[in-house]
């Protein structure tokens, strides 16, 4: 798999792939590592061992079936709703911006923003939980009120790349956006 | 002796400032990264808030990198930029009482550590002893091995239970702080006694007045009418009972004398009584509570400013009045003799007779016309207490502090137990150990290398000063949009 290797804010390795289709059309894809077999086994074993512990005291077999159901359901929900495999941002200079998320289960969620609504792409600083980090944001403008941004949409929220990677994406985005205004 | 030191200091800085008035950016030997921490900052209004803001602006002008950390005020949270790229972190911490945050000495560590690391802070400067966040930040900074400075803005008592408790906490908080700054010598004495400190690590740097706010009124027409202005809270501590004695006495002696009193308080009734009894309704005007921006307009209406305080740490009012070109008559109490040189102030004993004599002397001088003009007084006074001077002196404290060593863990524990009493010392020593272990855990969980270094807005490599680098200025501009509405 080609692409530059960066790290996210938790120290995990992520890959940035940059496809250039034309001068004004680029796609940035951040690929996160696949779910590791070891952590999957670890979690399952932990749940089951705990279930066995409870079963040992209560002697109720429903505990075991509940544990199995929990693991399976938990895994399904995790893959479908939480675990993000890749995140991408497609920039079409004349048309708009599309950000999409691909979950580990294969589910995709896509948002498209028309170019007339996009004001700018910026790197912003935010406080979340107990850390302060940078993220890439799209500034939207309200067509009714051309002065000032109306909404801020963060991108790459699932993969949370570090500043180095964001700057790389930011530069390319700005190149395309500056061509738009000419 | 105290007074001599002060005058020496002021004179020297006056000479300095006259040399460098043209240069807005002074190159400095050593650029520091300073983090100001206090619970009190704009949009909250007050003395501490404006002190932090003005000091930070002057330090930025001198080439340092300054950031401010405070707690979130309603919808004002996150990171904002103010004028000249002053970066303010509004942290989402719970406010407990009177705009001060709740403290557990532990829960704010992850966030503060993150900020200290990403901004590469080397000096943490906390403000106000009422602010829990300031003490938290001092505590964490010492655990992380950063240099610490603390500014005390208030005077405390010693007698009642609450002040005994706060004094104990202050002792704990300040016993291993590198340097402490007080606003006057009286305040220094008070702090040294309260926190049982070594006086050598306590500096005195007074507050400053913005000379552009307090200017004489050039359109003022001189008449025979002489107006005495009093601006203070009408409470016992400000000597309003004395004022009640002075007013009839002086009005009897001078038929063309008028009094203008600004301020509100429980002692207002005394002045009203005096006004009734001596039928002085047309000569004594009571204005009631004043906003800070109205004060100048009231001051310029008068010729003589009268201050009757019975106790005072550092009297800002007389500096403001002198800056407006008024003749000042004041009592000789607390830190007042430190504040102005003798030719700008007439000092009296706190008694009706002495103050009347003082006023008489002032009126004679005024009538004889051999006083300097208000503009001349303003021009002299405006150089006494400038933020530039405050920043220069604070900078010296930073230079000194950054060459000191931060106490290592074992010495810090020893200091706590030997200095703060066995019981309190031991309890806080336990806290120190707990914070240290927590910090170890955080360092293991998110190593410093994983925290992105923030782009400097101010300081030697500040993005704000290099506006042509397109990338950074665009980024900061977008961030500043919301912040700029403030100033």
């Amino acid at each position: 798999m080609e692409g530059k290797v960066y790290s996210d804010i938790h120290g995990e390795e992520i890959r940035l792939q940059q496809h250039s289709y034309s001068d004004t059309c680029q796609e940035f894809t951040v690929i996160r590592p696949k779910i590791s077999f070891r952590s999957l086994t670890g979690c399952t074993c932990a749940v089951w061992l705990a279930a066995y512990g409870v079963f040992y005291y209560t002697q109720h077999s429903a505990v075991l079936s509940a544990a199995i159901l929990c693991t399976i359901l938990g895994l399904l929900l995790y893959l479908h709703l939480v675990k993000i495999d890749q995140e991408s941002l497609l920039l079409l200079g004349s048309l708009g911006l599309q950000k999409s998320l691909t979950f580990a289960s294969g589910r995709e969620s896509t948002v498209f923003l028309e170019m007339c609504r996009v004001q700018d792409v910026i790197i912003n600083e935010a406080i979340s939980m107990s850390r302060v980090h940078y993220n890439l944001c799209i500034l939207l403008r309200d067509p009714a009120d051309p002065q000032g941004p109306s909404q801020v949409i963060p991108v790459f929220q699932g993969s949370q790349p570090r500043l180095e990677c964001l700057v790389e994406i930011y530069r390319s985005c700005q190149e395309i956006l500056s061509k738009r205004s000419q | 002796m105290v007074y001599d030191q002060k005058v020496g200091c002021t004179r020297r800085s006056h000479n300095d400032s006259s040399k460098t008035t043209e240069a807005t950016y002074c190159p400095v030997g050593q650029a520091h990264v300073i983090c100001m921490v206090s619970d009190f900052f704009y949009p909250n209004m007050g003395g501490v808030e404006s002190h932090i803001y003005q000091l930070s602006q002057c330090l930025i002008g001198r080439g340092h990198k300054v950031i401010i950390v405070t707690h979130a005020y309603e919808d004002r949270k996150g990171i904002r930029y103010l004028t000249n790229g002053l970066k303010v972190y509004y942290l989402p911490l719970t406010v407990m009482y009177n705009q001060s945050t709740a403290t557990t000495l532990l829960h704010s560590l992850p966030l503060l550590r993150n900020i200290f690391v990403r901004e590469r802070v080397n000096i943490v400067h906390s403000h106000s002893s009422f602010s829990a966040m300031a003490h938290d930040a001092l505590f964490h900074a010492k655990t992380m091995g950063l240099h610490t400075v603390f500014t005390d803005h208030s005077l405390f008592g010693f007698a009642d239970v609450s002040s005994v408790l706060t004094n104990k906490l202050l002792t704990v908080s300040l016993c291993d702080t590198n340097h402490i700054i007080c606003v006057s010598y009286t305040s220094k004495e008070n702090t040294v006694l309260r926190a049982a400190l070594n006086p050598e690590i306590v500096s005195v740097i007074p507050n400053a007045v913005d000379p552009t706010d307090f200017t004489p009124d050039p359109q003022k027409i001189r008449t025979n009418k002489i107006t005495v202005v009093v601006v203070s809270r009408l409470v016992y501590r400000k000597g309003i009972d004395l004022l009640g004695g002075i007013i009839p006495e002086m009005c009897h002696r001078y038929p063309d004398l008028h009094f203008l009193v600004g301020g509100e308080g429980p002692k207002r009734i005394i002045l009203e009584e005096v006004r009734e009894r001596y039928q002085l309704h047309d000569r004594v005007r009571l204005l009631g509570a004043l906003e800070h921006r109205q004060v100048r307009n009231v001051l310029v209406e008068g010729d003589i400013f009268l201050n009757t305080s019975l106790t005072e740490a550092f009297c800002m009012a007389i500096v403001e009045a002198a800056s407006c070109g008024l003749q000042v008559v004041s009592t000789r109490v607390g830190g007042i003799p430190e504040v102005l040189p003798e030719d700008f102030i007439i000092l009296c004993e706190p008694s009706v007779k002495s103050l009347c004599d003082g006023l008489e002397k002032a009126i004679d001088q005024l009538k004889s016309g051999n006083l300097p003009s208000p503009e001349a007084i303003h021009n002299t006074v405006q150089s006494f207490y400038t933020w530039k001077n405050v920043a220069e002196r604070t900078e010296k404290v930073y230079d000194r502090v950054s060459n000191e060593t931060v106490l290592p863990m074992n010495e810090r524990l020893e200091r706590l137990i030997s200095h703060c009493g066995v019981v309190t010392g031991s309890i806080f020593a336990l806290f120190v150990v707990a914070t240290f272990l927590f910090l170890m855990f955080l360092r293991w969980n998110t190593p410093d290398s994983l925290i992105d270094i923030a782009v400097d807005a101010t300081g030697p490599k500040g993005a704000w000063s290099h506006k042509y680098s397109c990338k950074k200025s665009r980024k900061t501009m977008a961030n500043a949009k919301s912040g700029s509405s403030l100033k």
Side-chain angles (χ1 to χ4, degrees):
Chain A
M1 207 162 26
E2 87 278 30
K4 281 191 201 158
V5 177
Y6 289 102
S7 117
D8 72 356
I9 56 168
H10 303 288
E12 276 180 72
E13 202 175 82
I14 52 170
R15 244 164 232 287
L16 173 70
Q17 285 179 358
Q18 205 168 338
H19 294 288
S20 184
Y21 300 110
S22 77
D23 265 4
T24 57
C25 177
Q26 277 207 343
E27 183 170 21
F28 309 93
T29 315
V30 173
I31 300 168
R32 298 188 64 201
K34 298 271 180 222
I35 189 161
S36 77
F37 188 68
R38 195 188 287 171
S39 60
L40 188 64
T41 341
C43 284
T44 322
C45 285
V47 173
W48 287 10
L49 277 177
Y52 271 115
V54 177
F55 174 69
Y56 185 79
Y57 282 106
T58 56
Q59 296 292 322
H60 216 290
S61 61
V63 177
L64 290 181
S65 10
I68 294 171
L69 268 176
C70 278
T71 357
I72 294 171
L73 267 178
L75 183 64
L76 275 177
L77 289 176
Y78 177 71
L79 290 180
H80 202 66
L81 299 175
V82 182
K83 173 73 182 158
I84 293 162
D85 254 7
Q86 63 180 51
E87 249 184 312
S88 66
L89 181 70
L90 176 67
L91 222 88
L92 298 148
S94 51
L95 206 62
L97 269 164
Q98 175 171 288
K99 64 167 199 153
S100 55
L101 275 175
T102 313
F103 291 90
S105 64
R107 187 171 73 95
E108 275 198 48
S109 95
T110 312
V111 177
F112 181 78
L113 304 160
E114 291 164 83
M115 201 41 107
C116 61
R117 284 181 63 208
V118 175
Q119 186 174 18
D120 206 350
V121 174
I122 55 159
I123 296 177
N124 199 8
E125 282 175 293
I127 302 173
S128 78
M129 302 301 281
S130 57
R131 59 164 79 223
V132 186
H133 58 79
Y134 283 104
N135 49 21
L136 196 72
C137 290
I138 302 170
L139 286 187
L140 291 190
R141 91 179 114 209
D142 194 0
D145 168 35
Q147 244 74 48
S150 67
Q151 209 187 338
V152 182
I153 296 184
V155 281
F156 300 116
Q157 276 296 75
S159 41
Q160 299 188 310
R162 289 188 62 174
L163 183 61
E164 210 187 348
C165 174
L166 292 177
V167 167
E168 186 76 29
I169 302 172
Y170 174 82
R171 287 223 176 96
S172 314
C173 285
Q174 285 302 330
E175 265 172 37
I176 295 174
L177 288 176
S178 62
K179 275 174 201 152
R180 172 191 66 159
S181 58
Q182 275 163 14
Chain B
M1 196 198 102
V2 167
Y3 180 65
D4 287 345
Q5 268 180 344
K6 179 70 161 271
V7 167
C9 236
T10 340
R11 283 208 187 118
R12 193 188 58 222
S13 60
H14 174 49
N15 293 339
D16 282 356
S17 64
S18 61
K19 263 182 272 168
T20 52
T21 27
E22 257 64 51
T24 46
Y25 180 89
C26 319
V28 277
Q30 196 181 0
H32 304 289
V33 180
I34 304 139
C35 175
M36 306 271 182
V37 190
S38 181
D39 269 323
F40 312 108
F41 194 63
Y42 297 134
N44 203 35
M45 292 305 278
V48 182
E49 288 82 348
S50 65
H51 178 98
I52 297 174
Y53 178 77
Q54 299 276 10
L55 179 61
S56 306
Q57 289 294 354
C58 288
L59 287 170
I60 288 173
R62 298 182 65 79
H64 299 285
K65 173 178 168 183
V66 186
I67 59 164
I68 296 177
V69 176
T70 181
H71 68 260
Y73 284 89
E74 287 157 20
D75 68 327
R76 190 175 288 271
K77 49 195 165 207
I79 297 157
R80 307 270 180 135
Y81 287 87
L82 306 186
T83 321
N84 292 334
L86 176 60
K87 190 175 187 179
V88 189
Y89 285 88
Y90 290 94
L91 303 186
L93 299 173
T94 331
V95 174
M96 184 174 59
Y97 171 68
N98 213 349
Q99 291 301 351
S100 181
T101 47
T103 174
T104 57
L105 284 181
L106 283 176
H107 75 293
S108 54
L109 178 60
L111 208 46
L112 285 174
R113 175 204 166 225
N114 205 295
I115 292 169
F116 292 161
V117 171
R118 76 197 297 276
E119 299 282 356
R120 290 169 295 176
V121 169
N122 56 21
I123 294 170
V124 175
H125 188 169
S126 291
H127 290 265
S128 176
S129 37
F130 291 113
S131 159
M133 196 174 171
H135 291 300
D136 267 19
L138 279 184
F139 198 73
H140 300 326
K142 284 178 270 192
T143 316
M144 288 174 66
L146 304 174
H147 302 288
T148 44
V149 179
F150 178 81
T151 299
D152 199 355
H153 291 264
S154 35
L155 288 175
F156 268 95
F158 298 91
D160 52 307
V161 181
S162 74
S163 51
V164 168
L165 281 173
T166 30
N167 289 351
K168 195 73 194 170
L169 285 177
L170 201 73
T171 317
V172 172
S173 183
L174 298 190
C175 74
D176 43 6
T177 301
N178 290 113
H179 210 95
I180 291 108
I181 297 172
C182 293
V183 290
S184 74
Y185 285 89
T186 317
S187 160
K188 173 177 173 175
E189 261 170 43
N190 185 275
T191 308
V192 166
L193 288 172
R194 270 156 61 209
L197 292 167
N198 171 13
E200 278 175 14
I201 62 159
V202 185
S203 296
V204 175
I205 301 176
N207 266 319
V209 183
D210 195 347
T212 51
D213 277 357
F214 292 94
T215 49
D217 187 1
Q219 268 98 49
K220 196 177 163 186
I221 307 146
R222 289 299 281 272
T223 53
N224 281 335
K225 192 177 114 177
I226 296 173
T227 313
V228 176
V229 188
V230 179
V231 177
S232 83
R233 281 173 295 123
L234 304 181
V235 293
Y236 169 75
R237 221 169 63 81
K238 298 286 182 187
I240 302 306
D241 304 77
L242 290 178
L243 188 62
I246 295 164
I247 289 175
E249 179 75 31
M250 291 308 288
C251 286
H252 178 69
R253 284 194 216 172
Y254 295 92
D256 52 355
L257 191 70
H258 290 72
F259 279 87
L260 190 59
V261 182
E264 194 52 71
K267 293 278 178 183
R268 187 190 168 109
I269 188 84
I270 291 183
L271 300 181
E272 278 173 358
E273 254 174 32
V274 166
R275 202 164 60 162
E276 292 291 333
R277 186 181 302 158
Y278 297 93
Q279 296 296 311
L280 296 168
H281 292 275
D282 54 334
R283 294 174 62 189
V284 179
R285 264 164 68 202
L286 300 178
L287 298 171
L290 294 178
E291 275 180 48
H292 191 254
R293 60 191 165 80
Q294 294 174 313
V295 171
R296 184 252 165 190
N297 295 338
V298 174
L299 286 175
V300 294
E301 279 183 48
D303 308 289
I304 298 169
F305 182 84
L306 177 64
N307 174 46
T308 52
S309 292
L310 302 177
T311 166
E312 198 75 67
F314 179 86
C315 193
M316 230 40 249
I318 59 173
V319 183
E320 289 167 356
S323 181
C324 286
L326 272 70
Q327 178 78 357
V328 179
V329 179
S330 174
T331 47
R332 192 194 301 274
V333 292
I336 291 178
E338 302 175 16
V339 176
L340 287 173
E342 268 165 27
D343 34 343
F344 291 105
I345 188 166
I346 298 171
L347 289 169
C348 316
E349 294 311 312
S351 69
V352 175
K353 188 178 172 296
S354 175
L355 279 163
C356 284
D357 292 347
L359 273 177
E360 213 158 279
K361 194 176 154 196
I363 292 167
D364 286 346
Q365 278 183 359
L366 200 72
K367 283 190 169 162
S368 65
N370 57 10
L371 274 179
S373 72
E375 280 75 21
I377 300 179
H378 171 76
N379 289 339
T380 324
V381 171
Q382 71 168 353
S383 62
F384 286 174
Y385 298 103
T386 58
W387 286 111
K388 200 171 150 56
N389 178 16
V390 171
E392 273 165 23
R393 292 160 79 171
T394 314
E395 195 176 48
K396 281 187 193 121
V397 170
Y398 292 153
D399 286 340
R400 178 179 158 176
V401 161
S402 60
N403 293 327
E404 282 174 12
T405 48
V406 180
L407 285 183
M409 194 65 184
N410 52 347
E411 282 181 38
R412 204 179 151 198
L413 293 180
E414 265 171 38
R415 173 84 66 97
L416 267 172
I417 293 174
S418 65
H419 205 85
C420 312
V422 179
V423 180
T424 331
S426 308
I427 293 170
F428 280 92
L430 267 180
F431 268 109
V432 171
V433 174
T435 337
F436 185 68
L437 292 176
F438 190 34
L439 183 68
M440 286 285 126
F441 167 76
L442 287 172
R443 280 190 177 148
W444 168 79
N445 193 35
T446 23
D448 285 2
S449 58
L450 269 184
I451 299 174
D452 278 323
I453 300 299
V455 177
D456 291 359
T458 52
K461 293 197 194 92
W464 207 269
S465 37
H466 308 134
K467 290 224 168 82
Y468 297 103
S469 112
C470 161
K471 182 198 100 203
K472 283 166 184 168
S473 61
R474 280 192 91 123
K475 181 162 69 184
T476 38
M477 243 170 61
N479 280 336
K481 260 171 195 146
S482 39
S484 59
S485 61
L486 200 141
K487 189 57 197 152

